[in-house]
Amino acid sequence: MQPEATEPEEDSVWEEPPSMLWGLDLMFNAFNRLYVKDILHMRESCQVSGIYFYNSHPIFKVDVLGTVVYKREREDFFCYGVDDGTGVINSLCWKDEQWREQGDPAIRKCRYSHYSCVSALFVFTVGCVLSSVWARSFGSSAREDFNPASELKKLRQAQHSSSHLEIGELLRVRGPVKTSRQQREIMASTYYKVSDPVMAVQISWMMEVPQLYRQCYDKPFHLDSSAQNIQGGSASYLLGRATRILKDFLKEKEVTRFRPYDIQDLLQPLVSRLPHVSRQPQKTASEQEPEAGPSSGPPTSFKQLRELLQKSLQILQDEGLVFRKVKCQDEVYHVTERDKDLLMAVRDILREDCRREKYAEKGCHILHVLSSVRQRYSRNVSKAALELVLKALECNSDIISTSDSHYTIL
């Protein structure tokens, strides 16, 4: 029985909840019985590596039951391919060094979990106590009948048979999910072979997992009112998300200049998903303030969108990625690294000034270049923007840096 296909959330709409709220989800610290197909397609967190999201639920530990379809053994670990009918995932099972170095050679390479070691020690201790009690009660014959070393050896053999699997056998594995070499796998903390001759365990599993999907996994992670207040206060996270969206847009589309209303629709999904937006009281027609320009949604939502857009653009300006050549009512932002006029102006300044005796040997200081650019090209060019231009020219072999702050033409 496989889960119903669910449509993946769009990248521009889905918003990852802040990490401070992950612990409020009961699925965060649980071993989640997800299908392998969903484990392989879970979205990885951009805040913390090793954390994944299924339907906005933060997940890092899973519980899988499936058939071993391939195996690979190394000196330190076993790698089993587990197939639950929806997909195949690697299960990396580390060998315990204590059991690899001790015991019979036939079972020396077997991996045992910590629980097995504890149980072996417990059985050995109980065996010694029972042997002593029986020897007192029934004489020396009981001492000869019960041999703790022999019983411990039988226990080790049982542990070996339950942890050393072959292709076609049923395996249950629990552990955190990791991505290694662009491949999703389970770092097994506990695993064992399941004896299921009449398929009772598999049938029970296939009946329980769909119920978990309906009751837990397929229901989005909803926050209570107090948690929503915390999320609403995490403005820095929302601002960082908006800034990343704008950076990705500038990188993918390779635009040279733009206006705010050209890109504001990119941030609309972030504002529409804010919990406090939908709870704003509706104003009367006389109280509503008219807004200039296109808008989608109520005036409060559009005001928040404009505020978020302006703060994001200010961050891009502070980092030097964009700048405004002329500050006027028509807001036009130039992309620094794609402004050919700015690149040419910086190159001409270095070519002319480096001919002077004062700058011939060491080159022009970055502050000198900045002052010249502001006089000849635009007063709004920042030092951060100039550094990006100088780096681009240096990558194109148009200029070279003679020191950390001096540049000269080639």
Side-chain angles (χ1 to χ4, degrees):
M1 183 179 298
Q2 299 184 9
E4 298 180 357
T6 57
E7 294 294 333
E9 296 174 295
E10 296 293 336
D11 292 340
S12 59
V13 176
W14 183 82
E15 178 186 351
E16 179 180 323
S19 58
M20 68 177 69
L21 304 179
W22 291 349
L24 299 178
D25 193 341
L26 298 179
M27 294 172 56
F28 181 62
N29 290 316
F31 288 95
N32 300 279
R33 297 185 181 183
L34 294 174
Y35 292 105
V36 170
K37 181 185 69 172
D38 294 329
I39 297 175
L40 296 175
H41 291 87
M42 287 192 303
R43 190 190 307 267
E44 187 169 8
S45 171
C46 61
Q47 303 178 62
V48 181
S49 60
I51 304 297
Y52 303 86
F53 286 92
Y54 177 79
N55 199 15
S56 74
H57 294 284
I59 292 172
F60 73 100
K61 295 187 297 185
V62 294
D63 188 353
V64 173
L65 177 70
T67 305
V68 177
V69 294
Y70 70 86
K71 58 175 293 186
R72 187 173 72 254
E73 182 178 359
R74 292 293 184 267
E75 181 181 356
D76 296 330
F77 63 88
F78 290 103
C79 184
Y80 296 111
V82 185
D83 185 359
D84 70 340
T86 66
V88 180
I89 189 171
N90 287 340
S91 176
L92 195 63
C93 306
W94 292 96
K95 300 178 182 179
D96 196 320
E97 185 176 356
Q98 175 184 357
W99 295 102
R100 285 192 286 113
E101 295 179 353
Q102 300 177 4
D104 188 80
I107 60 174
R108 188 171 296 169
K109 293 185 178 181
C110 178
R111 186 268 190 201
Y112 295 92
S113 65
H114 295 290
Y115 302 106
S116 300
C117 298
V118 173
S119 62
L121 180 60
F122 175 76
V123 171
F124 181 78
T125 304
V126 171
C128 294
V129 174
L130 292 177
S131 178
S132 176
V133 172
W134 290 346
R136 295 175 184 174
S137 302
F138 303 101
S140 59
S141 60
R143 185 186 302 273
E144 297 176 356
D145 295 338
F146 183 82
N147 188 351
S150 176
E151 297 297 327
L152 181 59
K153 184 176 180 180
K154 293 180 181 179
L155 177 61
R156 286 179 173 176
Q157 292 174 350
Q159 291 171 337
H160 172 263
S161 62
S162 65
S163 58
H164 191 91
L165 288 91
E166 300 296 337
I167 294 179
E169 295 181 327
L170 192 63
L171 171 68
R172 182 172 182 180
V173 57
R174 313 175 92 191
V177 181
K178 298 292 182 182
T179 301
S180 177
R181 297 180 297 276
Q182 299 182 350
Q183 186 176 10
R184 200 71 55 86
E185 59 187 13
I186 302 175
M187 305 293 292
S189 57
T190 303
Y191 75 100
Y192 59 90
K193 179 173 64 176
V194 178
S195 179
D196 191 23
V198 295
M199 301 185 67
V201 177
Q202 298 179 67
I203 293 174
S204 176
W205 183 277
M206 289 188 293
M207 294 179 63
E208 292 178 0
V209 173
Q211 294 182 5
L212 291 175
Y213 269 86
R214 287 191 294 267
Q215 298 175 3
C216 302
Y217 304 150
D218 287 339
K219 292 184 178 180
F221 176 31
H222 292 297
L223 304 173
D224 55 18
S225 58
S226 60
Q228 287 176 347
N229 293 332
I230 297 175
Q231 187 180 28
S234 60
S236 58
Y237 168 77
L238 184 63
L239 184 59
R241 175 67 175 169
T243 305
R244 286 195 298 270
I245 292 177
L246 296 184
K247 287 181 179 179
D248 294 339
F249 169 77
L250 298 179
K251 182 178 180 180
E252 294 175 1
K253 300 302 180 181
E254 297 184 355
V255 296
T256 57
R257 59 181 181 176
F258 60 91
R259 290 174 172 83
Y261 59 77
D262 296 329
I263 61 173
Q264 68 180 6
D265 290 340
L266 299 174
L267 307 184
Q268 178 64 38
L270 296 180
V271 177
S272 61
R273 290 174 64 86
L274 288 175
H276 58 279
V277 172
S278 59
R279 295 197 184 104
Q280 289 288 342
Q282 296 292 333
K283 296 182 179 180
T284 62
S286 59
E287 294 176 341
Q288 290 181 354
E289 299 178 359
E291 296 285 351
S295 63
S296 57
T300 303
S301 176
F302 180 71
K303 183 178 179 181
Q304 292 175 341
L305 176 61
R306 289 288 300 178
E307 182 179 357
L308 180 61
L309 180 61
Q310 292 298 330
K311 290 182 179 180
S312 303
L313 291 174
Q314 185 61 45
I315 292 179
L316 296 181
Q317 291 185 81
D318 295 340
E319 295 180 0
L321 297 176
V322 300
F323 71 98
R324 294 178 62 185
K325 185 177 180 180
V326 180
K327 290 187 177 181
C328 59
Q329 187 174 4
D330 184 17
E331 299 181 69
V332 179
Y333 290 85
H334 294 254
V335 181
T336 304
E337 294 183 344
R338 299 193 183 97
D339 193 329
K340 296 182 179 180
D341 294 335
L342 178 58
L343 294 173
M344 186 179 299
V346 174
R347 188 168 53 245
D348 293 342
I349 290 172
L350 288 174
R351 181 181 295 108
E352 295 175 7
D353 291 354
C354 288
R355 294 175 182 173
R356 299 165 57 183
E357 182 179 357
K358 181 178 180 181
Y359 305 109
E361 180 180 356
K362 196 174 182 180
C364 298
H365 193 274
I366 186 174
L367 295 180
H368 169 77
V369 180
L370 179 61
S371 177
S372 301
V373 169
R374 287 176 174 175
Q375 292 177 8
R376 302 186 188 184
Y377 185 75
S378 173
R379 293 182 299 176
N380 300 321
V381 177
S382 63
K383 183 180 178 182
L386 179 60
E387 289 176 347
L388 291 180
V389 172
L390 293 173
K391 183 178 179 180
L393 292 174
E394 190 172 7
C395 291
N396 294 334
S397 300
D398 294 327
I399 64 174
I400 59 173
S401 58
T402 57
S403 65
D404 293 339
S405 304
H406 291 78
Y407 297 86
T408 185
I409 199 74
L410 284 177

